[in-house]
Amino acid sequence: MKEILTAKNLTKEYFISAGKEPVQVIKGINLSIKEGEKVGYAGLNGAGKSTTIKMLTGLIKPTGGELDVLGFKPFSLRKKYVEYIGVIFGQRNQLFWDLKVEDSFQFNKSLYKLSDKEYKDKLDFLNEYTDLDNLMQKRVLQLSLGQKMKCNIALSLLHSPKILFLDEATIGLDIIVKNEIKKLLNEVNRQFNTTLLFTSHDMKDIEDVCERIIILEKGKILHDLPLNEFKKLYGGTKNVKISLTERADIDKLVFWCEDKWKNDFMDFNREENTIKFSFNETKINFFDIMNMLKNEGIRPSDIEINSDSLEDIIRGIYQ
Ligand SMILES: Nc1ncnc2c1ncn2[C@@H]1O[C@H](COP(=O)(O)OP(=O)(O)OP(=O)(O)O)[C@@H](O)[C@H]1O
């Protein structure tokens, strides 16, 4: 996979008030993104995510460092550059507000000089994963937030961008629309190898789309890892609930667990015929517990086991 985006020691300073020193909000970040990657860009409010996206899309000029996206310096050759990228800002609308949805699509068709076939093929693809067809004849101001976002994303994909930047594209959307959008993004990536750079405060969105996560903190990159590696390194917590019908079996299991791993459980609670505990996979192997139950002939009436979500992990990092 070839590199599609590189940033070296990228910085951005803003002048907040006249006569005062500028404030550096992006403090020398290095990025390297390959074609077809799906990258989540996460961080707390004010970390600098939108500022980064604005620099990468050529909306604002970096204060320092080097930036190369698809062979372009985004800010200097913006007119040409935008032919190859798509940009979605959750709070902004790119459709003609008081016209029909289709008018914006027709406008972009001529702007990007798409042939009738290219236009039709792309609409066929978009219709497969959204209900765009039903929305085309509606006026934009009649659309709900979710319908508007679907149309905005579809419009940004019309010219087959090589890379799609999404800044809080799923903000305020319900779970059904979010899922539809995530499916569309995954398909765009799968079928057209479109690179995705995606910011969201909803870690589930990042988890459902991205294979790599970059965490920004106060303008610096704190982590940049494949998502599964990140989860293994910083997560690895399993939460288990075991229900048993016999009180004696509970006693036996509690005694055995405490004897073997007394200090290794993150928490351990007994309630009636149920025990609930959390542990880190690096310290305790859940199969040992399953084997013990089997060897003792204990048959639980129910077992629930789940891993910490990305959201839990990130919360843990910032706490
Ligand atoms: N045009 C601007 N002028 C001055 N300061 C700005 C400007 N835009 C952003 N900032 C400041 O830069 C910092 C980073 O803002 P940015 O919007 O990039 O963060 P973010 O990570 O996207 O936050 P959020 O998750 O809240 O959207 C913040 O302290 C913000 O107040």
Side-chain angles (χ1 to χ4, degrees):
M1 281 196 299
K2 68 171 193 257
E3 259 175 16
I4 197 168
L5 184 157
T6 52
K8 286 187 193 142
N9 201 21
L10 196 67
T11 60
K12 180 68 192 173
E13 291 173 358
Y14 286 125
F15 284 93
I16 310 264
S17 45
K20 291 227 167 120
E21 287 292 300
V23 177
Q24 192 173 57
V25 298
I26 298 295
K27 300 170 180 163
I29 61 173
N30 296 303
L31 280 174
S32 163
I33 295 178
K34 294 199 168 74
E35 188 172 15
E37 273 197 287
K38 298 190 280 184
V39 183
Y41 199 51
L44 297 180
N45 287 127
K49 303 177 296 296
S50 298
T51 300
T52 313
I53 300 286
K54 286 177 193 159
M55 287 193 284
L56 299 182
T57 53
L59 278 169
I60 57 172
K61 192 177 179 185
T63 308
E66 286 171 35
L67 189 54
D68 183 307
V69 191
L70 296 157
F72 289 94
K73 290 198 185 319
F75 189 75
S76 350
L77 263 177
R78 190 150 200 277
K79 224 168 153 192
K80 189 80 188 146
Y81 174 58
V82 292
E83 287 179 26
Y84 299 92
I85 64 164
V87 189
I88 294 289
F89 285 100
Q91 315 282 17
R92 285 197 210 144
N93 171 43
Q94 300 176 34
L95 304 151
F96 293 119
W97 186 247
D98 49 355
L99 300 179
K100 284 186 301 179
V101 171
E102 191 181 24
D103 294 325
S104 297
F105 279 76
Q106 287 290 349
F107 179 82
N108 275 24
K109 174 181 184 265
S110 55
L111 183 71
Y112 291 110
K113 300 184 179 65
L114 303 184
S115 68
D116 289 345
K117 183 172 183 322
E118 284 169 326
Y119 183 71
K120 183 183 172 303
D121 287 351
K122 193 44 72 75
L123 286 190
D124 285 349
F125 164 79
L126 293 166
N127 280 322
E128 215 175 304
Y129 298 99
T130 62
D131 55 349
L132 187 63
D133 222 8
N134 299 328
L135 305 173
M136 279 299 225
Q137 299 311 315
K138 290 200 175 177
R139 289 178 76 197
V140 174
L141 48 78
Q142 293 175 322
L143 301 180
S144 70
L145 179 69
Q147 290 171 328
K148 228 180 298 159
M149 185 45 76
K150 278 190 276 182
C151 293
N152 268 292
I153 293 180
L155 184 68
S156 73
L157 291 168
L158 189 66
H159 62 292
S160 306
K162 294 247 176 258
I163 178 162
L164 182 63
F165 298 93
L166 302 114
D167 190 10
E168 292 292 341
T170 53
I171 201 160
L173 305 182
D174 69 39
I175 191 153
I176 295 173
V177 177
K178 273 186 180 200
N179 286 344
E180 218 179 313
I181 288 174
K182 287 187 268 191
K183 189 160 184 212
L184 173 65
L185 294 177
N186 280 324
E187 278 306 316
V188 168
N189 172 268
R190 193 178 68 81
Q191 296 191 31
F192 304 103
N193 204 27
T194 309
T195 308
L196 303 175
L197 184 60
F198 188 123
T199 84
S200 177
H201 281 285
D202 185 338
M203 291 304 142
K204 177 89 174 69
D205 290 349
I206 290 186
E207 210 166 358
D208 288 347
V209 176
C210 302
E211 290 152 347
R212 170 178 165 194
I213 185 162
I214 297 174
I215 303 208
L216 195 68
E217 190 182 50
K218 295 181 184 149
K220 287 186 176 163
I221 291 178
L222 193 61
H223 299 288
D224 180 355
L225 287 169
L227 191 58
N228 54 3
E229 221 170 281
F230 175 79
K231 282 168 116 180
K232 241 188 248 161
L233 271 176
Y234 297 97
T237 300
K238 294 276 183 209
N239 307 300
V240 179
K241 183 175 159 188
I242 302 179
S243 304
L244 297 157
T245 38
E246 299 297 326
R247 210 180 169 80
D249 289 343
I250 286 262
D251 291 340
K252 211 184 273 180
L253 180 59
V254 169
F255 179 78
W256 185 82
C257 285
E258 285 187 345
D259 185 47
K260 197 165 161 62
W261 291 301
K262 196 172 180 19
N263 300 317
D264 290 331
F265 285 104
M266 291 156 80
D267 60 65
F268 194 100
N269 295 300
R270 175 178 181 162
E271 297 162 8
E272 297 280 316
N273 286 353
T274 301
I275 61 168
K276 285 186 189 170
F277 50 86
S278 301
F279 61 88
N280 193 291
E281 284 176 294
T282 55
K283 299 218 164 136
I284 293 175
N285 184 352
F286 185 63
F287 285 107
D288 287 351
I289 299 174
M290 295 305 287
N291 281 335
M292 176 270 173
L293 293 172
K294 195 170 159 224
N295 295 341
E296 295 287 331
I298 300 174
R299 301 191 69 171
S301 54
D302 192 25
I303 296 183
E304 281 174 33
I305 176 159
N306 59 59
S307 305
D308 266 2
S309 66
L310 182 58
E311 186 107 32
D312 296 324
I313 299 170
I314 305 256
R315 203 177 308 121
I317 287 178
Y318 286 117
Q319 268 166 2

